[in-house]
């Protein structure tokens, strides 16, 4: 989604120094939301193991919801005032991705869609955590600047 | 939404001892999602103060998204394995509700919809935090039981 | 959700003559989205009939999505320019409600949550169709006024 | 999103003859949902033309919602029983894309994000309509087969 990066670059309030990183997270979230949606339905289509697949289906539905909403929030570039929300939602999303990656990974040998979904979730979790680190360091920097200027 | 409570009572995996509390949270989230959606659009319709209303609009859109997804997750009753996700998402939602309550409260005198939305958000945040307390105490209890049984 | 009606009444662009009707549809949609989400998960928790319940689960997930989005669109009161979208989305939502009502009704004797969900979906479909009739009559009136004034 | 195609190919109920086409639509919808979300927020950040941009913001929010839900539905591959819902939702989504493409196109010279968003919406509408044609021809084929076999 090169398009996302291009759009963020022309957003009047986006920090252009970080558009590539930000676009990568939104891209990972959008892909993960679709992967989890497909995986949940594909698992529901496996009549042989349906009973055992229920935690996997639930984790995928949860993760699709968490990723979808996290992407929507990140589409509105973070400012200082809403940074705590972005941090909290990214954290929730990383938890959802980890739970779904674990649940799908257990079925990686049986289902190609579970194997792919586990990989997509692991990548998405990584992207969320990279952005969390970046937001934390931005906050520290802002606090220090505030301390100096006061 | 008495209906939500009735449905949770017949859910095979829901803890029937807590259906009233759980239903109250889902109800608050569903109402808050609609309130924030209406408030964002109503603010967008105020041509006189539009420039100053932008943080209020953004906070309302964020809060509508956070509440909508938190409700979706809570519709799938929490088990031990997904409790960390419910905790993290409820926390993110409480942050979103607080930000929106603050942003809308600043316009309570100008806009009835902002005044109502601020109240709805404050109530929803309260409900999220009540459930967080409950989940934390359930976790402590489970840890203690695990410690005793080991 | 008396609150929705109160908010719509203070919305600068909402047609105050229709706020009660509009609020009733948004309310029905928000309730139906939660009911379908709970029903899908409750069906997933029935290990005895899981295989046969799959169409019911899929219909509930679809209906939850359709209702949620239709509510979001209706939270932004319709004007002439976006009326065709509201009409098309309400129509899609009515189809989703009918499919889910049928799928859940088939399980009404087994599951209380399916019986309730079928009723909620039937009511929501009815509300969508009432609004569709109203939008169609508004369009006719506007066309006639345009014809007279031209 | 090559990943979406790979996952659909391993979905037990997906028609493997059409996975590339189906994946292309889901991809277009996921990209369009993000583009519209970013464009709405970027327009909200333009203090110079904010008043005139309101229809553009509203159309983008509507389109983001419609595309997001249509993708979610398509992630659950269509069968005969839910084909009418997919048809109706794809139609609603095509309407949303057209409205947003028109609204953003009017700002293409002022805002790069509006220009890109208009292109993304036009492409997404095209993809929805291609799938609608395909679903209509599948339905005709099924009706003819039913007529022959009866």
């Amino acid at each position: 989604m090169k398009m996302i990066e291009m759009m963020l670059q022309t957003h009047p309030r986006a920090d252009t120094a970080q558009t590539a990183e930000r676009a990568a997270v939104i891209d990972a979230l959008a892909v993960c939301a679709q992967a989890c949606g497909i995986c949940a339905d594909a698992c529901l289509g496996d009549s042989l193991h349906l009973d055992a697949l229920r935690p996997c289906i639930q984790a995928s539905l949860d993760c699709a919801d968490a990723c979808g909403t996290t992407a929507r929030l990140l589409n509105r570039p973070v400012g200082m005032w809403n940074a705590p929300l972005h941090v909290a939602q990214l954290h929730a999303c990383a938890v959802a991705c980890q739970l779904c990656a674990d649940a799908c990974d257990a079925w990686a040998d049986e289902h190609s869609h579970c194997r792919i979904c586990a990989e997509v979730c692991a990548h998405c979790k990584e992207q969320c955590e990279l952005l969390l680190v970046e937001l934390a360091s931005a906050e520290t920097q802002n606090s220090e600047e505030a301390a100096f200027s006061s």
Side-chain angles (χ1 to χ4, degrees), chain A:
Chain A
M1 289 201 208
K2 186 72 186 162
M3 175 280 306
I4 289 180
E5 190 181 342
M6 285 162 55
M7 288 189 74
L8 287 177
Q9 274 165 355
T10 65
H11 189 297
R13 290 179 299 178
D15 181 348
T16 48
Q18 303 179 340
T19 44
E21 290 84 351
R22 187 61 51 101
V25 190
I26 294 174
D27 186 28
L29 289 163
V31 169
C32 195
Q34 310 311 318
C36 290
I38 295 171
C39 195
D41 192 69
C43 286
L44 200 61
D46 174 356
S47 46
L48 207 58
H49 309 96
L50 191 47
D51 200 66
L53 279 163
R54 289 183 293 174
C56 189
I57 293 170
Q58 202 187 29
S60 296
L61 293 172
D62 283 349
C63 194
D65 286 336
C67 288
T69 276
T70 308
R72 290 173 79 104
L73 263 57
L74 292 182
N75 286 340
R76 306 180 194 114
V78 68
M80 280 313 292
W81 73 275
N82 61 359
L85 172 56
H86 284 236
V87 168
Q89 185 61 49
L90 280 164
H91 174 62
C93 194
V95 173
C97 288
Q98 184 65 60
L99 287 173
C100 191
D102 290 347
C104 282
D105 196 51
W107 290 90
D109 292 341
E110 297 283 339
H111 298 151
S112 294
H113 51 80
C114 285
R115 182 179 50 70
I116 299 171
C117 190
E119 287 167 16
V120 169
C121 289
H123 172 69
C124 188
K125 190 204 167 208
E126 213 173 82
Q127 289 291 319
C128 289
E129 290 179 342
L130 282 174
L131 186 51
L132 278 169
V133 170
E134 194 191 293
L135 288 173
S137 97
E139 200 184 358
T140 310
Q141 205 180 327
N142 280 305
S143 305
E144 284 171 3
E145 282 169 12
F148 270 103
S149 65
S150 64

